[in-house]
Amino acid sequence: KSGINAEYGDVYILQSGTGCGEVNDHLMEMLIMIHACKIASAERVTAVIPCYPYARQDKKDKSRAPISAKLVANMLSVAGADHIITMDLHASQIQGFFDIPVDNLYAEPAVLKWIKENIENWRECVIVSPDAGGAKRVVSIADRLNVNFALIHKERAVANEVQRMTLVGDVDNRIAIIVDDLADTCGTVVKAAEKLKEAGAKAVYAVMTHGVFSGPALERVMGSCIEAIVVSNTIPQHEKIAICPKIQVIDVSSIIGEAIRRTHNGESISYLLKNIPL
């Protein structure tokens, strides 16, 4: 039950889809709230989902596998959502699962700001993608910083377990910054950091948008050669920081808040794709 009067209003429901509890509980809470607002005669309901649930299940990678990201899109639409605001989707094509407007915000402006403010001699760093899928994201950041980039090709034996890695690029005597959209079990990022150290990197940092940190992730990070693993607050991190002091947090609330304000006022959000709001 909603405790506010949503009749003929413009309603924004904020719920991160992953972390800090059960994913399915969060999803059901959001669906029920959307439905409650729609039958209370809300004019428009926008679901603000900083971390989209089941985003990695965006295609059939083997026979009889579900496309759960599409199912979540259907559920949100059927519940009554008129608009979706999210951040750094695992695959941009997820926007095509919806028949309603989807705004996929980027944490890139906040990442660039963190690198410039916290990495000494950042002009000499190398931006590294831990897999081929993140190459476009890494190239974009490297171009805006005017630095080099490198790529790690990985082969998986089974899901969440990397078998072999090959580095493409030069990181010798440079600071390597691994950039990706999601830190889950951290097996990939830890192995990538080891590979970069073997290749002569002076220091290795990891910057991820969504810090899920499931299973043995925190222990792996603490025992790794990574100087710091930087994530945004699309998922609450206060409990994990207490366990793993290597975790640092970038605040993206200003980007999401400004997106909500611009959407409500009918303004363009294109500015936010490249800039942090003033």
Side-chain angles (χ1 to χ4, degrees), residues 23-36:
V23 176
N24 298 327
D25 289 350
H26 288 177
L27 181 57
M28 278 306 302
E29 284 174 6
M30 169 158 274
L31 295 172
I32 292 168
M33 283 297 295
I34 292 169
H35 178 66

Side-chain angles (χ1 to χ4, degrees), residues 29-231:
E29 284 174 6
M30 169 158 274
L31 295 172
I32 292 168
M33 283 297 295
I34 292 169
H35 178 66
C37 290
K38 287 302 284 188
I39 62 174
S41 301
E43 184 174 340
R44 179 175 66 172
V45 178
T46 299
V48 184
I49 314 171
C51 184
Y52 189 88
Y54 295 98
R56 287 193 292 179
Q57 291 179 283
D58 60 333
K59 60 182 177 295
K60 287 183 70 171
D61 54 353
K62 54 188 174 184
S63 178
R64 296 182 295 279
I67 307 177
S68 303
K70 169 63 174 171
L71 176 60
V72 171
N74 290 345
M75 292 165 71
L76 289 165
S77 298
V78 170
D82 300 298
H83 182 205
I84 305 293
I85 296 176
T86 186
M87 178 168 275
D88 273 351
L89 286 170
H90 184 66
S92 296
Q93 295 89 328
I94 290 174
Q95 295 171 87
F97 292 166
F98 291 88
D99 292 321
I100 57 176
V102 178
D103 288 322
N104 182 29
L105 304 173
Y106 300 139
E108 182 181 302
V111 168
L112 291 168
K113 182 182 177 185
W114 186 91
I115 290 173
K116 289 177 180 178
E117 291 178 353
N118 294 274
I119 304 292
E120 194 175 352
N121 297 326
W122 58 266
R123 289 181 176 83
E124 302 298 321
C125 73
V126 178
I127 310 298
V128 183
S129 174
D131 56 31
K136 186 176 179 181
R137 181 184 300 107
V138 162
V139 169
S140 175
I141 291 174
D143 284 348
R144 292 191 66 184
L145 291 173
N146 195 25
V147 298
N148 293 331
F149 69 92
L151 174 70
I152 292 177
H153 173 67
K154 64 183 179 184
E155 296 176 5
R156 292 185 187 273
V158 294
N160 282 346
E161 188 176 321
V162 179
Q163 187 176 29
R164 190 165 65 93
M165 285 186 157
T166 305
L167 174 64
V168 181
D170 180 24
V171 297
D172 188 33
N173 203 32
R174 296 191 180 197
I175 296 171
I177 304 174
I178 302 170
V179 176
D180 206 359
D181 67 314
L182 192 73
D184 187 6
T185 60
C186 291
T188 299
V189 69
V190 168
K191 280 190 169 62
E194 292 170 357
K195 189 74 179 177
L196 292 167
K197 274 289 190 180
E198 290 172 9
K202 286 196 295 187
V204 180
Y205 293 84
V207 182
M208 315 282 175
T209 303
H210 309 296
V212 178
F213 297 118
S214 65
L218 299 181
E219 290 81 3
R220 284 175 173 171
V221 171
M222 284 301 294
S224 73
C225 60
I226 297 171
E227 301 288 331
I229 184 162
V230 185
V231 295

